[in-house]
Amino acid sequence: MESSTVSERKKLTRREILEKKKAIEQLLKAASAQIDHLASYPSFRCFNRNSLCLCLESGRGDKLFHCTKQCIQNLLKANMEGPYGSEWAVEEKVKRREMVAPEARYVFVRRNANETMMDSAPTPLLGFLHYRFTLEEEIPVLYLYELQLDSSVQGKGLGKFLMELVELIAQENRMGAVVLTVQKSNSLAMKFYISKLRENPPQDSFERESSHLKFRYVVSSISPSRVDPLAGVKSNYEILCKTFDHEAKVILEAC
């Protein structure tokens, strides 16, 4: 009788695991299927601060125009060739493949059309987010592949604005965390995620809307330096995360 009860418990556990796995798969599928992740956040469609008048729009990797692809490549090269150094030639090819993947989701930042010359040419791309919904250690996460800004719009609050949007999208789609990779040599980016996002209280409606989010990223337990500290010393990047629930915190945050 006892062995029968144990067997039933094991079956129940297996069923629960399968049901949880199926639910997570459906969660990721539903998140990726959304056409416009900005639709739930109309206040994030425009950025009007610090002499900038910008508009945001959604996109996906398998529907990029040629001119947009070129703009993405140019921004990546301008911002990342330095941090990657001699590895850039190889990494650039990887990023070109990632750029057009069907699962790639984008938020593009452009000049407001009313602020540019009235012609048929597309407005210049001044920045973009590239993110995906995926699994890390069986936790559904929004993985931020890229946050790239043109030098002309850096240092004006746009990066923080975009990270607020990323976190809102992640939580709306019930992701356990936002995960991202930063080159160790990119000290400005490292400082931005780990320190700068915690600075200053909410100043306006955009920041108040997301003020419940804790502005802090930490080195994740899945980062090379945490998985194997000795081998991690040789790694040129860290994986950072910000978790939104207890399970994600336990699994993805390093002790």
Side-chain angles (χ1 to χ4, degrees):
M1 185 72 176
E2 184 176 347
S3 62
S4 176
T5 302
V6 172
S7 177
E8 288 177 359
R9 286 177 179 174
K10 288 183 177 179
K11 287 181 180 179
L12 180 61
T13 301
R14 285 196 296 269
R15 184 167 69 247
E16 290 174 341
I17 292 173
L18 290 174
E19 288 176 350
K20 181 179 180 181
K21 184 177 180 180
K22 183 177 180 180
I24 290 175
E25 289 175 350
Q26 292 175 340
L27 199 66
L28 294 172
K29 185 176 181 180
S32 295
Q34 291 188 41
I35 297 175
D36 183 8
H37 288 118
L38 283 166
S40 299
Y41 306 104
S43 60
F44 279 83
R45 287 194 179 277
C46 296
F47 181 84
N48 298 305
R49 301 184 206 170
N50 300 320
S51 302
L52 293 178
C53 184
L54 309 175
C55 61
L56 279 65
E57 59 186 40
S58 297
R60 49 185 293 169
D62 56 355
K63 295 187 180 299
L64 298 177
F65 292 112
H66 175 74
C67 59
T68 302
K69 293 179 185 178
Q70 191 60 55
C71 287
I72 290 174
Q73 292 171 15
N74 292 342
L75 267 178
L76 284 168
K77 182 178 177 65
N79 292 343
M80 302 308 297
E81 187 174 19
Y84 276 103
S86 61
E87 298 178 356
W88 175 245
V90 174
E91 189 62 30
E92 185 177 28
K93 294 178 181 179
V94 174
K95 290 185 178 296
R96 286 186 180 185
R97 291 194 297 269
E98 293 174 342
M99 175 180 68
V100 295
E103 61 270 25
R105 296 295 176 267
Y106 286 91
V107 171
F108 297 116
V109 180
R110 303 181 187 276
R111 294 281 184 196
N112 190 311
N114 295 328
E115 301 293 318
T116 59
M117 298 294 292
M118 300 299 292
D119 56 33
S120 59
T123 54
L125 184 65
L126 296 177
F128 69 91
L129 295 169
H130 168 190
Y131 60 95
R132 306 184 190 189
F133 299 99
T134 186
L135 282 178
E136 288 292 342
E137 301 298 315
E138 302 305 315
I139 299 294
V141 305
L142 184 156
Y143 205 114
L144 182 61
Y145 274 60
E146 305 286 351
L147 191 175
Q148 301 294 341
L149 300 178
D150 184 80
S151 60
S152 65
V153 295
Q154 292 178 14
K156 298 185 178 182
L158 179 58
K160 184 176 179 180
F161 176 84
L162 291 173
M163 287 307 299
E164 291 171 2
L165 175 61
V166 164
E167 292 166 22
L168 287 169
I169 292 173
Q171 289 203 320
E172 181 190 34
N173 288 278
R174 296 163 58 195
M175 298 294 108
V178 171
V179 180
L180 55 92
T181 302
V182 181
Q183 293 296 112
K184 289 180 179 178
S185 60
N186 196 343
S187 58
L188 290 178
M190 195 71 75
K191 181 180 179 181
F192 172 74
Y193 292 114
I194 292 179
S195 302
K196 194 170 182 180
L197 287 180
R198 300 183 66 188
E199 294 177 356
N200 304 325
Q203 297 296 321
D204 54 30
S205 61
F206 299 109
E207 295 187 358
R208 285 193 293 271
E209 183 174 359
S210 54
S211 62
H212 64 288
L213 302 176
K214 56 175 185 175
F215 293 129
R216 183 169 184 265
Y217 282 78
V218 297
V219 177
S220 175
S221 58
I222 62 175
S223 190
S225 65
R226 296 294 189 264
V227 174
D228 185 343
L230 293 178
V233 172
K234 299 179 181 179
S235 175
N236 57 11
Y237 67 91
E238 294 280 14
I239 297 175
L240 308 183
C241 71
K242 178 185 286 189
T243 58
F244 304 125
D245 59 49
H246 178 70
E247 184 180 12
K249 182 180 179 67
V250 170
I251 295 176
L252 293 178
E253 286 194 13
C255 295

